[in-house]
Amino acid sequence: MTTIYDIAKKANVSPMTVSRVINNKGNISEKTREKVEAVIKELNYIPNSAAQSLNLKKTKLLSLIITDITNPFFTKVARGAADKANQMGYQLILCNTDEDYEKESDYINALISKRVDGVIIAPTGDPSIKNLKKLIKNRIPFTLIDREIEEISCDRVLGDNYEGTKLLLQHLIDYGHKRIAMVHGPLTVSTSKERYQAYIETLKINDLNMDASFLVETHYKQEKQWNGIDHLVTLPLADRPTAIFAANNFIAIKIIKSLREKKIKVPEEIAVVCFDDLELFSDFDPFLTVSSQPAYDFGYTGTQLVIERVEEVGPADYRTINLKPELVVRKSSGTPIN
Amino acid sequence: MTTIYDIAKKANVSPMTVSRVINNKGNISEKTREKVEAVIKELNYIPNSAAQSLNLKKTKLLSLIITDITNPFFTKVARGAADKANQMGYQLILCNTDEDYEKESDYINALISKRVDGVIIAPTGDPSIKNLKKLIKNRIPFTLIDREIEEISCDRVLGDNYEGTKLLLQHLIDYGHKRIAMVHGPLTVSTSKERYQAYIETLKINDLNMDASFLVETHYKQEKQWNGIDHLVTLPLADRPTAIFAANNFIAIKIIKSLREKKIKVPEEIAVVCFDDLELFSDFDPFLTVSSQPAYDFGYTGTQLVIERVEEVGPADYRTINLKPELVVRKSSGTPIN
DNA sequence: CTGTTAGCGCATTCAC
DNA sequence: GTGAATGCGCTAACAG
């Protein structure tokens, strides 16, 4: 491996001068700069960033921690984060936690050891607060994206789960639905909890009955899901929900598949709506009615905010960016009933 | 930041002893080991891997370079790579090249600077050979996945594009199709080239006419695509293709959308088949007939192979793993005609 | 404008 | 079984 010394020797200058040329620091005569640059090219020299990191205490490494790269929502988040990181000269370490707190903890330790400059994280759930505190203790700035963890000092890029839920439910209610079930994820995840609470609230505001059996808990990730709605569809028609609100896109897919297996037509017999789009699919066949969130921006803006912290530009106060959801009405919510 | 020296001082031992405890090397009495470990826990010490990298010349960093994280095929590749890397104690730097050779080159330089231990790469195309040679020059092992670059010494995990294409075309031909068009990607990409050649070969074997206008070039990535099939669908019915073979999933989506806009029914009027599945979508609505590839394995096995090189276990000879495609017949290829 | 000294945090080599 | 010296490749602080 060629080092700064090899360059220095061959260019008849001191290693320091080479360092200066590489980093464009201090004043250097045109002559020596050219001479050094020539040698650098000749020897294909590329600085060793481990050495740089060691005394600069900067690694130019960022990490994106997400719970399911397989979900198109997070895929777009990753895309946004990668774009911004790249654009600013950082490399991005991808951590996929599979909604698993233990994996998240392992990653956090590894990242601290790697001395990443910053972290963009969608935590696995409320217990993640321990991991975040660990980051704080190690002075690694982070921004929380998509999922809220309360009472933590950091930047945030969050969606509006209340708004998104209300948009979806109001749409169903406007269409005449009175019996709306919800299938949500674990309530230890803020997005799940907020959508859940917004569901209850919206029903109340609209004077609709709340039936405990209409609330079903499952998981966000496909591998962990169960459909959980068998008891609903075996109900007599008059008691059966006429619409189902799925807390995320994967849950919606699972539900629609189950309904189809049971020969129940969507949306004719039961309407289905959900949070987060499946653009790839919707593009192809506009079917799912969704509250669409600007996934790319979660990643892009989240990364921008950490970088501002890392580079110590930007305001002293922590910021919370709210990204608005958008109601996209398609076939799965059917047409007005009665 | 707490260092090995802080631990040493507090535990009344030398830094060296602490290092030994951390790395489980050499003989250490149970007493001192326990004492040191206690202090390590107390001070929440985590080794600085920049320092470790600097004298071990190992970073425990791997990189996955793919062309489009947005494509579910690569999403699954990423998942596989991340899983294996994680499992083996490596961190994964994600590089998204957007099918852009310049971006790829920039990434390669950054990765060399970071002294990553190994790279798993789906190159942007034939010119990537320069980047691969750069890796070789810097003694960074890599495995080529999905896309072939010839005359390079390295491990490979490749699909069988000939087989996959033949499966798809033979299926169409068996159904009675005689005028089959192909929309492919840039011929500088091996998968595109091989599918293109297999198309020509298969038509020949089946004594079918080759019409130059039936071969259309576009891009693999959605942002760069144009449908390119306008001239085909304005043809008189008797000359129009009855089926279209799309070289990848995104191309198929684009084509089907175009056809629908023109009120041409798929598969009734024109059948469409393609390479690579869109499981998320197919799961939901089994529509596209595809040659499905084990995307996860490309990432997983690719990563396994580099790690074996990095750790210098495994055979001296470079290996090429061939992953077989599987024909999945669904609606878009219609039913036997005539 | 350029060079020297020192040290980032750790592990290897050699002593003891 | 443990410690001291040394160097990995680079840059900050100082000197000239």
Side-chain angles (χ1 to χ4, degrees):
Chain A
M1 205 73 293
T2 113
T3 77
I4 217 176
Y5 288 92
D6 302 324
I7 309 295
K9 197 176 294 176
K10 196 149 192 169
N12 277 317
V13 295
S14 77
M16 200 53 237
T17 304
V18 179
S19 175
R20 289 195 180 98
V21 170
I22 293 166
N23 300 299
N24 260 314
K25 276 191 177 175
N27 294 330
I28 295 177
S29 74
E30 259 317 297
K31 270 187 201 168
T32 53
R33 145 163 279 114
E34 277 166 18
K35 191 171 50 177
V36 170
E37 278 173 348
V39 179
I40 286 178
K41 251 163 222 159
E42 189 192 338
L43 267 52
N44 280 304
Y45 169 74
I46 299 184
N48 179 331
S49 64
Q52 292 180 141
S53 302
L54 195 55
N55 48 32
L56 295 186
K57 282 138 182 26
K58 291 281 167 208
T59 55
K60 286 285 178 178
L61 236 32
L62 255 34
S63 176
L64 173 69
I65 305 181
I66 52 182
T67 59
D68 185 8
I69 182 73
T70 278
N71 189 317
F73 173 78
F74 284 118
T75 304
K76 290 197 79 179
V77 168
R79 183 61 143 67
D83 280 358
K84 187 66 189 179
N86 189 222
Q87 170 190 324
M88 303 296 284
Y90 288 79
Q91 301 307 313
L92 225 219
I93 293 180
L94 176 68
C95 301
N96 197 257
T97 58
D98 280 333
E99 302 280 3
D100 179 344
Y101 172 75
E102 302 302 333
K103 279 197 192 179
E104 182 182 282
S105 306
D106 290 346
Y107 272 126
I108 292 283
N109 284 336
L111 296 175
I112 293 173
S113 177
K114 279 271 166 302
R115 301 295 195 267
V116 295
D117 289 343
V119 173
I120 303 100
I121 177 172
T124 52
D126 295 337
S128 299
I129 192 164
K130 278 185 211 158
N131 289 146
L132 299 182
K133 284 185 173 163
K134 207 161 184 179
L135 286 179
I136 292 174
K137 195 170 280 172
N138 284 275
R139 300 225 178 76
I140 299 180
F142 58 90
T143 109
L144 224 39
I145 58 170
D146 183 46
R147 301 175 176 190
E148 167 71 321
I149 299 287
E150 278 161 30
E151 311 208 343
I152 283 281
S153 299
C154 69
D155 292 310
R156 288 166 229 265
V157 182
L158 302 173
D160 190 333
N161 293 300
Y162 282 91
E163 177 69 10
T165 300
K166 282 175 192 166
L167 247 26
L168 247 15
L169 291 180
Q170 205 58 59
H171 165 64
L172 289 174
I173 293 168
D174 290 348
Y175 269 20
H177 290 276
K178 293 191 189 317
R179 294 191 308 283
I180 305 171
M182 172 177 193
V183 182
H184 58 82
L187 296 180
T188 50
V189 177
S190 75
T191 51
S192 212
K193 191 169 48 197
E194 289 168 21
R195 290 166 198 178
Y196 173 91
Q197 287 166 347
Y199 164 84
I200 293 176
E201 213 170 89
T202 308
L203 291 198
K204 225 176 247 168
I205 290 173
N206 285 273
D207 284 324
L208 293 181
N209 273 341
M210 268 288 311
D211 185 330
S213 73
F214 275 25
L215 269 167
V216 178
E217 177 164 340
T218 180
H219 286 277
Y220 274 175
K221 269 181 67 71
Q222 292 187 306
E223 296 84 26
K224 297 183 179 175
Q225 284 176 5
W226 61 300
N227 71 58
I229 53 166
D230 289 349
H231 68 286
L232 291 178
V233 295
T234 51
L235 251 34
L237 247 185
D239 300 329
R240 191 191 280 184
T242 59
I244 298 177
F245 164 42
N248 88 342
N249 46 15
F250 277 180
I251 292 177
I253 289 183
K254 182 72 176 179
I255 289 174
I256 292 178
K257 275 180 60 185
S258 304
L259 292 176
R260 285 187 179 162
E261 278 164 17
K262 298 184 196 327
K263 311 287 181 203
I264 297 173
K265 285 184 182 166
V266 178
E268 291 81 357
E269 298 175 72
I270 296 188
V272 175
V273 302
C274 72
F275 234 98
D276 291 333
D277 207 350
L278 288 169
E279 285 171 57
L280 205 65
F281 167 61
S282 300
D283 216 43
F284 184 86
D285 174 16
F287 181 74
L288 266 181
T289 291
V290 302
S291 261
S292 168
Q293 297 196 96
Y296 184 89
D297 295 342
F298 279 83
Y300 191 90
T301 308
T303 304
Q304 183 173 341
L305 296 190
V306 237
I307 292 179
E308 288 178 18
R309 284 275 165 263
V310 171
E311 301 185 347
E312 295 179 319
V313 297
D317 290 341
Y318 287 109
R319 295 152 290 179
T320 295
I321 310 280
N322 276 297
L323 264 19
K324 291 291 166 206
E326 184 194 356
L327 178 68
V328 183
V329 176
R330 292 192 280 242
K331 297 180 208 159
S332 73
S333 53
T335 50
I337 56 178
N338 293 359
Chain B
M1 204 71 295
T2 112
T3 76
I4 216 175
Y5 288 93
D6 304 324
I7 308 294
K9 197 176 294 175
K10 195 149 194 170
N12 278 316
V13 295
S14 77
M16 201 50 243
T17 304
V18 179
S19 174
R20 287 194 181 101
V21 170
I22 293 165
N23 300 297
N24 260 312
K25 276 190 177 178
N27 295 330
I28 296 177
S29 73
E30 260 317 297
K31 271 186 201 169
T32 52
R33 144 162 281 113
E34 278 165 18
K35 191 171 52 178
V36 170
E37 277 173 348
V39 179
I40 287 178
K41 250 161 223 161
E42 189 191 338
L43 268 53
N44 280 305
Y45 169 74
I46 299 184
N48 179 329
S49 64
Q52 292 181 145
S53 301
L54 195 54
N55 49 29
L56 294 186
K57 281 138 182 30
K58 291 282 167 207
T59 55
K60 287 281 176 182
L61 235 33
L62 255 33
S63 175
L64 174 69
I65 306 181
I66 52 182
T67 58
D68 185 7
I69 183 73
T70 278
N71 189 317
F73 172 77
F74 283 118
T75 305
K76 290 199 77 179
V77 168
R79 181 65 142 64
D83 281 358
K84 188 66 189 179
N86 188 224
Q87 169 190 325
M88 302 297 283
Y90 288 79
Q91 302 305 315
L92 226 218
I93 293 180
L94 176 68
C95 301
N96 197 258
T97 57
D98 281 331
E99 301 280 2
D100 179 345
Y101 172 75
E102 303 302 334
K103 279 198 191 179
E104 182 181 282
S105 305
D106 290 347
Y107 272 125
I108 293 283
N109 284 336
L111 296 175
I112 292 173
S113 177
K114 279 273 167 299
R115 301 295 194 266
V116 295
D117 288 343
V119 173
I120 304 100
I121 177 172
T124 52
D126 295 337
S128 299
I129 191 163
K130 278 185 209 157
N131 287 330
L132 299 182
K133 283 187 174 164
K134 208 162 184 178
L135 286 178
I136 292 175
K137 195 171 280 171
N138 284 276
R139 299 224 179 77
I140 299 179
F142 58 90
T143 108
L144 224 38
I145 58 171
D146 183 46
R147 300 175 176 189
E148 167 71 321
I149 299 287
E150 278 162 30
E151 312 207 342
I152 283 283
S153 299
C154 68
D155 292 310
R156 294 169 163 81
V157 182
L158 303 174
D160 190 333
N161 294 299
Y162 282 91
E163 177 68 11
T165 301
K166 280 175 193 166
L167 248 26
L168 246 16
L169 292 180
Q170 205 59 58
H171 165 63
L172 289 174
I173 293 167
D174 290 348
Y175 269 18
H177 291 276
K178 293 190 189 316
R179 294 191 308 282
I180 306 172
M182 173 177 192
V183 182
H184 57 82
L187 296 179
T188 50
V189 177
S190 75
T191 52
S192 211
K193 190 168 51 195
E194 289 168 19
R195 290 165 199 181
Y196 172 92
Q197 287 166 347
Y199 164 84
I200 293 175
E201 212 170 272
T202 309
L203 291 197
K204 225 176 244 168
I205 290 172
N206 285 274
D207 284 324
L208 292 182
N209 274 344
M210 270 287 311
D211 186 332
S213 73
F214 274 26
L215 270 166
V216 178
E217 178 163 339
T218 181
H219 286 277
Y220 273 174
K221 269 183 68 71
Q222 292 187 305
E223 297 84 26
K224 296 184 179 174
Q225 284 176 3
W226 61 300
N227 72 57
I229 54 167
D230 289 349
H231 68 286
L232 291 178
V233 295
T234 51
L235 250 35
L237 247 185
D239 300 330
R240 191 192 279 185
T242 58
I244 298 178
F245 163 43
N248 87 343
N249 46 14
F250 278 180
I251 293 177
I253 291 183
K254 181 73 175 178
I255 288 173
I256 292 179
K257 275 181 59 184
S258 305
L259 291 176
R260 285 188 178 162
E261 279 163 17
K262 297 185 197 327
K263 312 286 183 206
I264 297 173
K265 286 185 181 166
V266 178
E268 291 81 357
E269 296 175 73
I270 295 187
V272 175
V273 301
C274 71
F275 233 99
D276 290 334
D277 206 350
L278 288 170
E279 286 172 55
L280 206 63
F281 166 64
S282 301
D283 216 42
F284 184 85
D285 174 16
F287 181 74
L288 264 182
T289 292
V290 303
S291 260
S292 168
Q293 297 197 96
Y296 183 89
D297 296 342
F298 279 84
Y300 191 89
T301 309
T303 304
Q304 182 173 342
L305 296 190
V306 237
I307 293 179
E308 287 179 17
R309 283 274 167 265
V310 171
E311 302 186 345
E312 296 179 319
V313 298
D317 289 341
Y318 288 110
R319 294 152 290 181
T320 296
I321 310 279
N322 276 295
L323 264 21
K324 290 291 164 206
E326 185 192 354
L327 178 68
V328 183
V329 176
R330 292 191 280 242
K331 297 181 207 155
S332 74
S333 54
T335 50
I337 57 179
N338 292 2

